Amino acid sequence: MHSSAVFLIEFGAIILGLGLLGRLAARLRFSPIPLYLLAGLAFGEGGLLPLGTSEEFVAIGAEIGVILLLLMLGLEYTASDLVSNLRTQYPAGLVDAAFNALPGAAMALMLGWGPIAAVVLAGITWISSSGVIAKVLGDLGRIGNRETPVILSILVLEDLSMAVYLPVVTALLAGTGFAAGSVTLAVALGVAGLVLLLAVRFGRHISRFVSTDDPEKLLLVVLGLTLVVAGVAQQLQVSAAVGAFLVGIALSGEVAEGAHHLLTPLRDLFAAVFFVFFGLHTDPASIPPVLLPALALAAVTTLTKIATGYWAARRAGVSAKGRWRAGGTLVARGEFSIVIAGLAVTAGIDSDLGPLATAYVLILVVLGPLTARWTEPLARRLTGRLTGRRTVPGALGAGGGEAPAHDPAPAVRDQDPAGRP
């Protein structure tokens, strides 16, 4: 009875604290992810007040948080959207992977962590935070900008790549041999391909089967189906997250919209628990030794993400200002980087990997909104100095930059045919 009371107090305090941190982040107008991670650090191993009885329940909640994150991500896209983006934007996806995964792999090898840690750290540095970036685009009023479809296409390709990457990482961390790992990857690719095919051809029928006018029944059916598929996927060593992602893709239309509306509060709750759980298993004393590599990696991958967005936007015919905005917006890392790091920490890979990932995400989840706001005006100011052109102070737009004094009709060049900036 006493332990039950302590559990309720501890878990209630966690939820209350997360709510207060979320309100603080909203008031400061930045992502709550770093605050959730810091809360986990404060109440975890080596923290100010380590938790006791509620940690096991938090662990289960964290696993549900990952599943809901991927389910909601899948609900954002239809199978046809994914196939279309794969066909038209795959060069940008390849450049994104090469520019941003290689620095992480190189850092792991330089630190002597071995090839498996290199694959894990490559994923951590590769994947941008869809959640943070979507919020930044809304806050800055850039949803209608010409570079925004380029940004979203890169995010879609990154999300789709997780259906391949996560099973590979899961197999590597499980220590399976080459043959078993190949079978796991083949199963994952086969299942992903089959689900995409079924979603394209029979998506309406699947959604009709799940559909109901009763919100309670829709919530129970979608959530139950997702957990079952995630469990089966994990049993097959494919990754529970990939299973949840594929369920989201298979649902479309009104069912997807209704499920998205109903599951959003649950997603936010359990995702916050997930970030706290990751922080709980990271000793704050282990972060200072890896802070310098984390800062170096953050600096390098900030530049490579900016280069990725610039190249992709240029390929799409976006103006120079839009190219810089696209690059700066892609910098933020967040939920996916922590998901990947969490897999490695659970598997017992190098003890410094978790602290490095925590420090790296903390840096870039704070820096990301700043680069989204200031990359374009800083690049234009630097370009103006190099070319000897003056800039007009105060000519700030959605991108937050200053218009060059001798640049003819800059606003016209940076608009799409509908007249949106």
Side-chain angles (χ1 to χ4, degrees):
M1 194 73 177
H2 173 71
S3 61
S4 175
V6 173
F7 163 76
L8 290 175
I9 293 171
E10 282 190 355
F11 193 66
I14 291 173
I15 301 302
L16 177 61
L18 291 176
L20 295 176
L21 290 175
R23 292 176 62 178
L24 175 61
R27 183 167 296 181
L28 297 177
R29 300 188 68 183
F30 72 92
S31 169
I33 292 176
L35 297 183
Y36 295 157
L37 287 172
L38 290 173
L41 290 173
F43 294 99
E45 302 173 3
L48 300 175
L49 185 62
L51 297 178
T53 58
S54 63
E55 186 170 344
E56 185 175 351
F57 186 83
V58 170
I60 297 173
E63 192 165 354
I64 294 175
V66 174
I67 290 170
L68 290 178
L69 278 171
L70 272 292
L71 169 65
M72 299 294 282
L73 192 62
L75 290 173
E76 296 285 347
Y77 310 121
T78 65
S80 57
D81 291 336
L82 291 175
V83 172
S84 175
N85 273 284
L86 190 60
R87 287 176 177 172
T88 60
Q89 300 294 337
Y90 74 89
L94 294 175
V95 169
D96 180 35
F99 279 15
N100 299 287
L102 290 178
M107 176 64 76
L109 295 176
M110 288 172 57
L111 293 173
W113 291 353
I116 295 178
V119 174
V120 173
L121 193 55
I124 292 171
T125 58
W126 172 18
I127 306 298
S128 298
S129 171
S130 300
V132 174
I133 290 172
K135 186 176 187 305
V136 167
L137 288 173
D139 289 345
L140 295 179
R142 296 181 182 174
I143 299 298
N145 280 26
R146 289 197 64 187
E147 73 273 6
T148 299
V150 176
I151 296 169
L152 296 179
S153 294
I154 291 175
L155 294 178
V156 169
L157 289 170
E158 289 182 351
D159 297 339
L160 184 58
S161 68
M162 287 293 96
V164 178
Y165 175 82
L166 288 177
V168 172
V169 170
T170 302
L172 290 174
L173 294 176
T176 58
F178 176 78
S182 300
V183 170
T184 299
L185 178 58
V187 169
L189 291 176
V191 171
L194 179 62
V195 170
L196 286 175
L197 179 64
L198 292 175
V200 170
R201 294 192 175 183
F202 306 106
R204 292 182 180 178
H205 300 290
I206 297 172
S207 297
R208 191 178 304 159
F209 172 76
V210 175
S211 179
T212 175
D213 293 332
D214 189 332
E216 178 185 350
K217 293 183 177 64
L218 179 62
L219 174 64
L220 293 174
V221 170
V222 173
L223 183 58
L225 176 64
T226 302
L227 293 175
V228 169
V229 172
V232 171
Q234 188 161 308
Q235 196 71 17
L236 295 173
Q237 297 292 319
V238 172
S239 171
V242 171
F245 180 61
L246 294 175
V247 170
I249 292 173
L251 301 178
S252 60
E254 294 182 0
V255 172
E257 292 178 8
H260 191 283
H261 176 73
L262 292 170
L263 289 168
T264 295
L266 281 177
R267 187 272 315 268
D268 294 341
L269 169 63
F270 286 106
V273 171
F274 164 70
F275 291 118
V276 169
F277 177 73
F278 186 83
L280 289 174
H281 288 264
T282 303
D283 187 347
S286 65
I287 291 181
V290 297
L291 189 56
L292 188 59
L295 286 169
L297 198 55
V300 170
T301 54
T302 293
L303 297 177
T304 54
K305 273 294 182 182
I306 291 174
T308 297
Y310 188 96
W311 184 89
R314 181 178 180 180
R315 179 174 176 269
V318 177
S319 68
K321 291 196 291 184
R323 297 171 200 169
W324 288 115
R325 287 198 296 262
T329 304
L330 287 169
V331 167
R333 309 313 200 271
E335 58 273 16
F336 270 126
S337 297
I338 296 299
V339 168
I340 296 166
L343 292 174
V345 170
T346 303
I349 300 299
D350 195 286
S351 59
D352 287 335
L353 183 58
L356 176 63
T358 302
Y360 176 78
V361 170
L362 283 172
I363 293 168
L364 289 187
V365 81
V366 173
L367 183 64
L370 298 178
T371 59
R373 176 71 173 79
W374 295 106
T375 296
E376 182 264 327
L378 289 176
R380 187 138 42 90
R381 188 171 299 176
L382 179 61
T383 303
R385 287 180 180 178
L386 293 175
T387 58
R389 292 188 303 177
R390 294 186 302 107
T391 57
V392 179
L396 299 177
E402 297 179 350
H406 304 296
D407 192 0
V412 174
R413 271 195 340 207
D414 211 32
Q415 288 179 345
D416 66 8
R420 292 174 300 194

